[in-house]
Amino acid sequence: MRTFWTLWKREIASYFRTSLAVTLFVFVLVLTGCNFYSSVSLLNHGPTETSIVEAFFNNPVFWITLLALPPLLSMRLYSEEYKTGTIETLLTAPVRGTQVLLVKFFGAFVFFILLWTPSLLYFVLFWPSAHQVAAAGYGAYCGAYGMLLLQGALYISIGCMASSLTSHQLISGMLTFCVIVLFFFSGTLLSSSSLNTMLFRQFLVFFLPMETMKSFSHGIIDTRSIVFYCSLIFLFLFMTFHVVQSRKWRR
Amino acid sequence: MIIAQEVSKKYGGHEILHQLSFTIQKGEVVALLGPNGAGKSTLLKILSSYLSPTSGSVSIDGLDLYEYSLELRARLGYLPENVPLYPEMKVGEYLSYRAALKKVRSRRISEKVIDVLDLCGLRSVENKLIETLSKGYRQRVGLADALVNEPDLLILDEPTIGLDPLQQAHIHGLIANLAKRHTLFISTHSLQEAEMLCKRHLILHNGRIAASGTLEELRQQLMLPEASLEEMFLLLTRKDEN
């Protein structure tokens, strides 16, 4: 545990030592601010069945923010260690490969949570200023933020995997972005294929990012989606571990 | 202390190391010599458990390097060739981080860091960012990192490469001092450095051990009673070229 904590402190601090942290905070605050403004603007058009939370978490600006963040957070995880050679001093210290992997993953994930935390304030402040709630119940808040974290964790695990494959941060970031976008639009691609049966459509509903977010932000929490996302996160982390370990057999 | 038995490394169809067997006794200072591409760095990476050999075994203090990798890594000091460091960290902070990672007890970390800062002449740059340091100072930080856990065995890969003569002299002084208390395995291109610092020499050529022994033993093996280390090295490493 002490090793994990030592590694984790350095990993988290590394985000704040560069301008990356400030840049990302500004990026997320501007985009989520615009998103919240556009979600609240819905009320100007008269009564609506869509809550502010649902509008916020299903807005194109939200998806742009969510899809763009993980590549930026994860592209340096292993790539930078490979490029500077610090992976050699790291892996010749008495640390386990799994500790390094979990530290890198949770470091990026905690930073991802920090970036989204200010958005909670929008909903907290909305009630006293507008004298109405942003969602019908706590289920919608929990569902929306829960799905945000699950999708964020999945995209970061994809980023971990991509950065373990190359020493070039840019390639790692681009690869992550491509895989995430492919996953995001996979529903559209699959539903237009010959596999488009009723059963298949039911399957798509519980894993497609937009569909799952729609139901979760409505307060409908489907455990199948949670299991599906957790399994994918585990799969990508497992593959990352083996990619890093396989380097031992190279030159 | 180190027993390597038939260690081979193959990668991409090339045999980088071919069945190397050697022993290094506790307290010995051994130079690993060889031309570029001989496999020196690969061998040191295997001994530091960064790489795995394709076949063969290595044991340190009677413990198998792969079975007891974590325990042995805690007792090892390793300075890689290009001295990889985190440039955004301060020297003292970096050494504390490395000490914690190498399982130095929490209450002994600051004491150990001060010791290695003094030993490596880094006190004046303790609060400086690593990225602002000269190559000589970075080399010293790398050496301090290798020493911070009081290792029994120190593996140094080209510790003076790219340094000016003054910086080289400082590192030589440090290594000579360390040789009194540690087992040292040093890879170097400088034959004068090897002759000055090390009692025994292991000469690698094309991934094989071309010769091994003290200067006297090498002269006897090659039947050249008057030869210098440089002459013997050139003779051994040019053999295949002719």
Side-chain angles (χ1 to χ4, degrees):
Chain A
M1 200 59 204
R2 186 184 158 217
T3 306
F4 186 89
W5 181 237
T6 306
L7 287 167
W8 198 80
K9 274 194 296 185
R10 197 211 72 80
E11 194 66 32
I12 280 288
S14 70
Y15 286 100
F16 292 94
R17 285 180 210 271
T18 59
S19 54
L20 182 74
V22 178
T23 313
L24 288 181
F25 267 110
V26 170
F27 172 76
V28 173
L29 283 172
V30 167
L31 287 181
T32 52
C34 291
N35 184 7
F36 190 73
Y37 177 81
S38 104
S39 304
V40 173
S41 300
L42 277 179
L43 298 175
N44 295 336
H45 307 297
T48 169
E49 285 186 5
T50 310
S51 71
I52 302 294
V53 169
E54 276 179 270
F56 181 87
F57 284 96
N58 292 283
N59 190 309
V61 183
F62 164 78
W63 289 110
I64 291 169
T65 320
L66 178 60
L67 301 190
L69 264 187
L72 295 171
L73 286 176
S74 62
M75 64 186 191
R76 47 173 284 284
L77 292 177
Y78 280 100
S79 304
E80 198 178 356
E81 303 263 13
Y82 293 158
K83 194 178 177 187
T84 58
T86 45
I87 191 78
E88 199 171 339
T89 44
L90 184 60
L91 296 182
T92 52
V95 296
R96 292 177 198 279
T98 44
Q99 286 173 323
V100 174
L101 171 66
L102 291 177
V103 158
K104 294 209 169 285
F105 172 72
F106 281 112
F109 186 54
V110 166
F111 194 68
F112 176 84
I113 294 172
L114 287 178
L115 288 170
W116 282 95
T117 305
S119 70
L120 273 170
L121 270 179
Y122 304 153
F123 300 111
V124 173
L125 295 174
F126 180 74
W127 183 76
S129 52
H131 302 291
Q132 68 177 82
V133 289
Y138 287 115
Y141 292 107
C142 295
Y145 275 96
M147 186 38 72
L148 168 69
L149 296 187
L150 271 178
Q151 289 197 19
L154 171 62
Y155 302 154
I156 288 169
S157 70
I158 293 172
C160 260
M161 164 86 182
S163 79
S164 72
L165 293 169
T166 173
S167 57
H168 300 281
Q169 289 193 35
L170 199 63
I171 294 174
S172 156
M174 282 166 65
L175 186 62
T176 310
F177 188 70
C178 289
V179 175
I180 294 174
V181 168
L182 198 67
F183 175 72
F184 187 78
F185 289 109
S186 58
T188 320
L189 296 172
L190 290 170
S191 58
S192 60
S193 73
S194 55
L195 293 163
N196 192 12
T197 61
M198 187 65 185
L199 188 72
F200 188 66
R201 271 204 300 275
Q202 279 179 347
F203 170 73
L204 285 184
V205 166
F206 77 82
F207 94 81
L208 289 178
M210 282 170 82
E211 296 296 327
T212 50
M213 185 54 95
K214 212 173 274 176
S215 66
F216 273 64
S217 60
H218 199 67
I220 303 162
I221 294 170
D222 189 339
T223 45
R224 288 176 304 178
S225 304
I226 298 173
V227 171
F228 177 78
Y229 278 95
C230 289
S231 309
L232 275 189
I233 293 164
F234 178 79
L235 177 72
F236 278 106
L237 292 182
F238 179 78
M239 289 196 293
T240 309
F241 175 77
H242 285 284
V243 168
V244 177
Q245 289 300 305
S246 73
R247 291 176 68 93
K248 275 192 149 214
W249 300 100
R250 298 183 204 167
R251 191 171 182 176
Chain B
M1 184 171 203
I2 303 180
I3 301 173
Q5 285 177 318
E6 298 186 346
V7 173
S8 295
K9 179 76 182 174
K10 286 179 193 162
Y11 183 66
H14 292 284
E15 191 166 47
I16 300 153
L17 298 176
H18 179 78
Q19 298 194 334
L20 303 186
S21 295
F22 60 90
T23 305
I24 296 174
Q25 299 297 337
K26 199 175 175 75
E28 263 193 312
V29 182
V30 180
L32 180 62
L33 306 169
N36 284 333
K40 300 188 299 294
S41 290
T42 305
L43 176 61
L44 296 190
K45 282 176 184 178
I46 287 174
L47 295 179
S48 64
S49 59
Y50 180 64
L51 291 181
S52 298
T54 312
S55 63
S57 68
V58 178
S59 70
I60 298 175
D61 286 342
L63 299 175
D64 185 84
L65 185 58
Y66 310 103
E67 217 173 308
Y68 297 92
S69 176
L70 274 185
E71 290 90 329
L72 289 173
R73 275 186 269 161
R75 292 199 231 159
L76 185 95
Y78 174 51
L79 175 70
E81 188 179 348
N82 299 316
V83 198
L85 303 165
Y86 294 110
E88 74 280 5
M89 289 179 101
K90 289 179 180 169
V91 174
E93 180 194 13
Y94 174 73
L95 293 173
S96 301
Y97 158 73
R98 293 291 295 170
L101 218 54
K102 292 177 175 187
K103 319 264 187 226
V104 175
R105 287 176 193 276
S106 304
R107 56 194 157 84
R108 292 204 63 211
I109 287 179
S110 45
E111 178 198 331
K112 282 311 307 167
V113 168
I114 290 170
D115 282 354
V116 291
L117 284 172
D118 285 337
L119 187 69
C120 299
L122 290 165
R123 257 335 244 289
S124 57
V125 295
E126 182 184 354
N127 293 313
K128 280 196 172 177
L129 286 174
I130 290 172
E131 67 187 351
T132 64
L133 300 181
S134 67
K135 177 141 176 70
Y137 271 112
R138 285 182 192 215
Q139 203 81 13
R140 291 192 219 179
V141 175
L143 204 53
D145 168 21
L147 288 168
V148 79
N149 55 328
E150 284 186 276
D152 302 325
L153 171 65
L154 264 174
I155 296 174
L156 311 177
D157 196 356
E158 315 233 7
T160 55
I161 196 166
L163 300 184
D164 67 37
L166 208 66
Q167 292 167 330
Q168 280 187 13
H170 185 89
I171 299 285
H172 288 161
L174 254 173
I175 293 173
N177 196 17
L178 294 171
K180 294 171 193 162
R181 286 167 287 137
H182 301 268
T183 306
L184 283 164
F185 196 28
I186 308 168
S187 153
T188 179
H189 275 299
S190 164
L191 299 174
Q192 291 100 317
E193 188 175 279
E195 219 168 334
M196 183 171 66
L197 299 169
C198 307
K199 290 191 179 70
R200 204 151 71 82
H201 311 280
L202 196 75
I203 302 174
L204 275 190
H205 183 47
N206 289 338
R208 293 160 197 263
I209 297 178
S212 157
T214 61
L215 210 52
E216 272 312 306
E217 286 167 348
L218 290 177
R219 283 176 184 143
Q220 281 171 15
Q221 285 168 29
L222 298 172
M223 289 183 283
L224 295 167
E226 300 295 317
S228 67
L229 181 62
E230 189 177 346
E231 285 166 337
M232 290 188 285
F233 177 84
L234 291 174
L235 183 77
L236 287 163
T237 53
R238 276 183 184 163
K239 221 173 4 186
D240 293 353
E241 289 171 16
N242 299 328

